């Protein structure tokens, strides 16, 4: 499984869940800290998409092609990831954190027999949703998966927290703590 944006909150959750399900995960992220964090949660291969050719780096990481790509990023990463799928693979679009909706060449979908899927919670039926929620609750309770809190900000620093996310510097989830007044306005609290 290739996970794009593997250092963000959705990406790190995807890395953990794919690993828990037995997948070999290739994490694609922009910084050493994000890739290192993805490795701590089970990613086996790490790809820096900001240095060089992402398509070549993915081909090297997954020479036989991936079974699936999970994409919460969109933008320029989507096509190289799509090209990294093996025949019959699945490309799951989760969102567009890059702010750019990708344009996918449909000839690749045809030639490789790829399945392109969109993921939204409202598309899951009530029975399947309840089953998935119970499985996730068990994984969380057992400690098999856990949210990665990259930083905690007091409420009066909410703008700084949002700026960190908007600039793509957030690793995992950023939490705004409504209970804690700010003591130091220059440094967010670590979890």
């Amino acid at each position: 499984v290739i996970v794009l944006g593997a250092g963000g909150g959705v990406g790190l959750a995807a890395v953990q869940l794919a690993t828990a399900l037995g997948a070999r995960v290739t994490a694609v992220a922009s910084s050493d800290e994000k890739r290192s964090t993805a490795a701590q949660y089970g990613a086996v291969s790490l790809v820096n998409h900001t240095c060089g050719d992402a398509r070549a780096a993915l081909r090297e990481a997954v020479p036989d092609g991936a079974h699936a790509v999970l994409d919460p990023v969109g933008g320029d990463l989507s096509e190289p990831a799509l090209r990294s799928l093996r025949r019959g693979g699945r490309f799951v679009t989760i969102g567009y954190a890059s702010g750019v909706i990708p344009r996918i060449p449909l000839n690749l979908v045809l030639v490789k027999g790829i399945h392109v899927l969109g993921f939204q919670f409202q598309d899951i039926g009530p029975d399947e949703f309840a089953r998935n929620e119970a499985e996730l609750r068990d994984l969380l309770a057992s400690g098999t998966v856990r949210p990665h809190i990259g930083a905690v900000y007091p409420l009066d620093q909410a703008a700084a927290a949002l700026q960190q996310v908007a600039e793509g510097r957030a690793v995992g989830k950023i939490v705004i703590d409504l209970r804690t007044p700010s003591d130091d306005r220059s440094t967010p609290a670590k979890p």
Side-chain angles (χ1 to χ4, degrees), residues 57-132:
L58 286 167
R59 188 177 313 119
E60 183 178 327
V62 190
D64 295 328
H67 291 278
V69 169
L70 304 177
D71 182 6
V73 178
D76 293 338
L77 287 177
S78 297
E79 185 178 334
L82 182 88
R83 290 179 180 278
S84 299
L85 284 168
R86 65 180 51 197
R87 180 157 184 74
R90 289 180 178 228
F91 184 95
V92 182
T93 182
I94 301 168
Y96 310 106
S98 70
V100 177
I101 298 171
R103 299 198 185 281
I104 300 295
L106 290 177
N107 63 316
L108 293 175
V109 175
L110 175 65
V111 171
K112 295 178 96 172
I114 293 169
H115 303 269
V116 178
L117 307 166
F119 174 81
Q120 297 182 80
F121 281 114
Q122 64 263 30
D123 294 338
I124 300 172
D127 292 340
E128 185 180 358
F129 190 90
R131 187 193 77 230
N132 291 346

Side-chain angles (χ1 to χ4, degrees), residues 11 26 34-35 38 44 47 50 53-54 58 81 89 93 96 102 119 131 142 147 157 165 167 176 187 190:
T26 296
K34 290 177 180 184
R35 289 186 302 278
V44 176
V47 172
T50 64
D53 183 358
L58 286 167
T93 182
Y96 310 106
F119 174 81
R131 187 193 77 230
S142 70
Q157 290 186 25
V165 172
E167 292 173 357
I176 298 174
T187 306
K190 289 291 182 180

Side-chain angles (χ1 to χ4, degrees), residues 12-14 16-18 20-21 119 121 128-147:
L12 284 173
Q16 290 184 69
L17 291 171
L21 293 171
F119 174 81
F121 281 114
E128 185 180 358
F129 190 90
R131 187 193 77 230
N132 291 346
E133 188 175 42
E135 289 177 11
L136 182 57
R137 191 174 26 253
D138 290 345
L139 290 170
L140 287 164
S142 70
T144 303
V145 299
R146 64 186 191 283

Side-chain angles (χ1 to χ4, degrees), residues 1 15 19 23-27 38-39 41-46 61:
V1 173
V15 167
T19 299
R24 181 186 182 280
V25 175
T26 296
Y41 287 107
V44 176
S45 297
L46 307 172

